[in-house]
Amino acid sequence: MVKYKQIAQEITDYIVNNNLQQHDQLPVIDDLAQSFNSSKSTIIRALDILEAKGQIYQVQGSGTFVRDIILPGFINLNRPEGLTQTLIGSDIETRVMSVSIIKPDATMIENLRCGPNEDVYLVKRMRYLAGQPIVYEVSYYRKKYVIFLNKEIAADSIFKYLRENLNIKPGFSNSYFEVSPMDEEIAGYLEVAPEEYGIKLINQFFLPNGATFDYSILWYHKDRSKFFVPSTYY
Amino acid sequence: MVKYKQIAQEITDYIVNNNLQQHDQLPVIDDLAQSFNSSKSTIIRALDILEAKGQIYQVQGSGTFVRDIILPGFINLNRPEGLTQTLIGSDIETRVMSVSIIKPDATMIENLRCGPNEDVYLVKRMRYLAGQPIVYEVSYYRKKYVIFLNKEIAADSIFKYLRENLNIKPGFSNSYFEVSPMDEEIAGYLEVAPEEYGIKLINQFFLPNGATFDYSILWYHKDRSKFFVPSTYY
DNA sequence: CAGTGGTCTAGACCACACA
DNA sequence: GTGTGGTCTAGACCACTGC
């Protein structure tokens, strides 16, 4: 890991370990530079990352402060990589309904920007929060990048597997959502009446080089899902 | 405006003016540095901003590419400063229902982090897209920062007024949303049946120094609102 | 006016892509 | 191997806050 990312991580840990709250002040840049044995520029770089993530804010002439965004029960749409990342510590259960390899249809070719003969993993899962159905997921992964996947892996966090075993990290993502009625099958999975409304979230995940590797459709239970989006202005 | 922000703006303009599409390549950093008569570091700084905003992505060893996020009809939750910013060019009408000065209640004191005797502007508006009701807004602005507001100003973009007339720019913001039934009054404004579901969006806006200046509750018509969130990973 | 963050530079060197 | 982006540094100077 490069130095400025390492420092950013350690500052995050420092905030958590010292239980710093919103608007608490961090050490000044010169002190951080000395602690981490780095130049001022590198500290600034690290703090810029934390600012972009919404963890801190910097006030010229005054200091660097914590921006606490830990909100129990809210799904952070700035990190849409699945529930396990965003609802940490919650009681999440996953039921894998199927894992298969298919050829893409027109929608998938457009959304994954893949070739018509490429192999694509199709994963269907139901996820439960505290025993209650919260989201039904249909995900497509290009086999070209996600070279292996099975039911055991999908029962856990797929993004964790991608990161730790395949060394795949997203570079950027797009999320779209709207409220829409669910068909009978999906309503059944979420244990609500047919034609009931759900929150339909579509995610596209890109590798750092711009290639799409994942396209997902998620149906959230409208009464059990709350979302959060932090923004920083430049 | 500082140099790197100016350069970032000019690169954005360059993308728009040349009608560059997703995955089109930008000039290389050395060329940009020469064009803008700046150092490589300053160009990198400018590109980092555009990357954080989701407008470009950079691939080591390969180049800098456009990440097109112009999605007609989608509200960008990474810039929740009102419809006029995010649905540019759309046919938006605003009906100002009231502008008044009040004293905060407990909820407002908590969400605005203001004193109990501070004056607060209360603004209620309905907004229409192509003649159809799309969102009902209740906004609170601390008079301490937003020193003046009236119906005429609220009929236009309030954030534009803040930026251009009061020199107020947000430093960061938090948005929370969920799907929830609307009471009779709000359902009436949105011209739907009472108890119909709406998308309830709560925004908190902070100044660059960390003070809250705006807290808003927005009820979107569930069938006419679609949202978008771009993310970048560091 | 002392303290703190912000900007900008020049340059050395590293990492990755692609042909 | 060449070209492209990424990291890191030291230092000069600017801008804002708050006592």
Side-chain angles (χ1 to χ4, degrees):
Chain A
M1 182 131 64
V2 297
K3 198 165 181 179
Y4 77 91
K5 288 186 183 176
Q6 181 63 41
I7 292 173
Q9 182 58 55
E10 291 187 29
I11 293 174
T12 297
D13 294 344
Y14 172 87
I15 292 170
V16 173
N17 294 339
N18 290 277
N19 193 29
L20 297 192
Q21 303 299 307
Q22 180 126 315
H23 310 298
D24 283 351
Q25 185 164 5
L26 289 177
V28 301
I29 290 181
D30 284 345
D31 290 354
L32 290 170
Q34 208 163 355
S35 310
F36 290 111
N37 195 25
S38 78
S39 70
K40 183 186 166 188
S41 314
T42 301
I43 298 297
I44 288 175
R45 190 78 201 282
L47 293 176
D48 282 348
I49 288 196
L50 298 182
E51 189 163 40
K53 284 188 182 176
Q55 296 180 7
I56 62 163
Y57 62 95
Q58 296 181 76
V59 185
Q60 190 166 8
S62 168
T64 303
F65 304 90
V66 172
R67 181 179 162 196
D68 194 34
I69 58 163
I70 296 166
L71 285 151
F74 281 81
I75 297 163
N76 186 342
L77 278 190
N78 248 1
R79 279 289 175 281
E81 331 170 7
L83 289 179
T84 48
Q85 301 298 308
T86 191
L87 295 180
I88 288 169
S90 303
D91 167 25
I92 295 170
E93 244 182 297
T94 303
R95 183 157 65 90
V96 182
M97 308 172 71
S98 69
V99 174
S100 54
I101 293 178
I102 60 170
K103 296 292 180 188
D105 64 17
T107 309
M108 292 156 61
I109 290 171
E110 189 190 331
N111 284 292
L112 283 172
R113 291 179 58 243
C114 65
N117 286 309
E118 261 191 61
D119 282 337
V120 173
Y121 274 110
L122 164 60
V123 179
K124 296 184 179 180
R125 307 195 292 182
M126 263 307 302
R127 314 198 80 173
Y128 301 82
L129 183 64
Q132 303 218 286
I134 181 161
V135 59
Y136 172 65
E137 264 185 41
V138 178
S139 304
Y140 303 94
Y141 299 89
R142 291 171 72 183
K143 192 164 188 305
K144 181 173 177 181
Y145 301 111
V146 180
I147 56 171
F148 183 71
L149 211 51
N150 65 20
K151 276 199 159 195
E152 286 64 46
I153 294 165
D156 212 322
S157 166
I158 292 179
F159 272 82
K160 189 173 168 222
Y161 161 73
L162 296 181
R163 190 172 57 245
E164 295 177 0
N165 297 79
L166 301 186
N167 199 30
I168 290 178
K169 286 174 206 154
F172 54 98
S173 65
N174 293 330
S175 300
Y176 314 82
F177 66 90
E178 60 189 302
V179 172
S180 177
M182 295 181 286
D183 67 28
E184 200 166 336
E185 183 193 357
I186 297 171
Y189 295 144
L190 286 168
E191 298 172 17
V192 298
E195 296 303 304
E196 180 76 87
Y197 285 92
I199 301 169
K200 182 186 184 184
L201 178 69
I202 293 181
N203 288 323
Q204 268 181 309
F205 284 93
F206 301 85
L207 297 173
N209 74 3
T212 316
F213 71 94
D214 175 23
Y215 165 70
S216 302
I217 302 150
L218 295 92
W219 287 93
Y220 282 91
H221 191 299
K222 71 174 179 358
D223 300 332
R224 299 191 193 126
S225 312
K226 296 184 291 187
F227 298 86
F228 172 61
V229 186
S231 302
T232 304
Y233 296 76
Y234 298 96
Chain B
M1 182 132 63
V2 298
K3 198 165 180 178
Y4 77 92
K5 287 187 182 175
Q6 181 64 39
I7 292 173
Q9 182 58 54
E10 291 188 28
I11 293 174
T12 296
D13 294 344
Y14 172 87
I15 293 171
V16 173
N17 294 337
N18 291 276
N19 193 29
L20 297 191
Q21 303 299 308
Q22 180 127 320
H23 310 298
D24 283 351
Q25 185 164 5
L26 289 177
V28 301
I29 290 181
D30 284 345
D31 289 355
L32 291 170
Q34 208 163 355
S35 310
F36 290 111
N37 193 26
S38 77
S39 70
K40 183 186 166 189
S41 314
T42 302
I43 297 297
I44 288 175
R45 191 78 200 282
L47 292 177
D48 281 349
I49 288 196
L50 298 183
E51 190 163 39
K53 284 188 182 177
Q55 294 180 8
I56 61 163
Y57 61 95
Q58 295 180 77
V59 185
Q60 190 166 8
S62 167
T64 303
F65 304 89
V66 172
R67 181 177 162 200
D68 194 33
I69 58 164
I70 297 167
L71 285 152
F74 282 82
I75 297 163
N76 186 343
L77 278 188
N78 249 0
R79 280 289 175 280
E81 330 170 8
L83 290 179
T84 48
Q85 301 298 309
T86 191
L87 294 180
I88 289 169
S90 303
D91 168 26
I92 295 170
E93 245 181 297
T94 303
R95 184 156 66 90
V96 182
M97 308 170 71
S98 70
V99 175
S100 55
I101 293 178
I102 60 170
K103 296 292 180 188
D105 63 18
T107 309
M108 290 155 62
I109 290 171
E110 189 191 333
N111 283 292
L112 282 173
R113 293 178 56 244
C114 64
N117 285 311
E118 258 191 63
D119 282 335
V120 173
Y121 274 109
L122 164 59
V123 179
K124 296 185 180 179
R125 307 194 293 181
M126 263 306 302
R127 312 197 81 173
Y128 301 83
L129 183 63
Q132 303 218 289
I134 182 160
V135 59
Y136 172 65
E137 266 185 41
V138 178
S139 304
Y140 302 95
Y141 298 91
R142 292 171 73 184
K143 192 165 187 306
K144 182 172 178 183
Y145 301 111
V146 180
I147 56 170
F148 182 72
L149 211 50
N150 64 19
K151 276 201 159 191
E152 286 64 45
I153 293 165
D156 211 323
S157 166
I158 292 179
F159 272 82
K160 189 173 166 224
Y161 160 73
L162 296 180
R163 190 172 59 244
E164 296 177 358
N165 297 81
L166 301 186
N167 199 29
I168 290 178
K169 285 174 206 155
F172 53 97
S173 66
N174 293 331
S175 300
Y176 314 83
F177 66 91
E178 61 189 301
V179 172
S180 177
M182 295 181 286
D183 68 28
E184 200 166 337
E185 184 194 357
I186 297 171
Y189 296 144
L190 286 169
E191 297 173 16
V192 299
E195 297 303 305
E196 179 77 89
Y197 285 91
I199 301 169
K200 182 186 186 184
L201 178 69
I202 293 180
N203 288 324
Q204 269 181 308
F205 284 94
F206 302 85
L207 296 174
N209 73 3
T212 316
F213 72 94
D214 175 23
Y215 165 69
S216 302
I217 302 149
L218 295 92
W219 287 93
Y220 282 92
H221 190 300
K222 72 174 179 358
D223 300 332
R224 298 190 194 126
S225 311
K226 296 184 291 186
F227 298 86
F228 172 62
V229 185
S231 301
T232 304
Y233 298 76
Y234 299 96

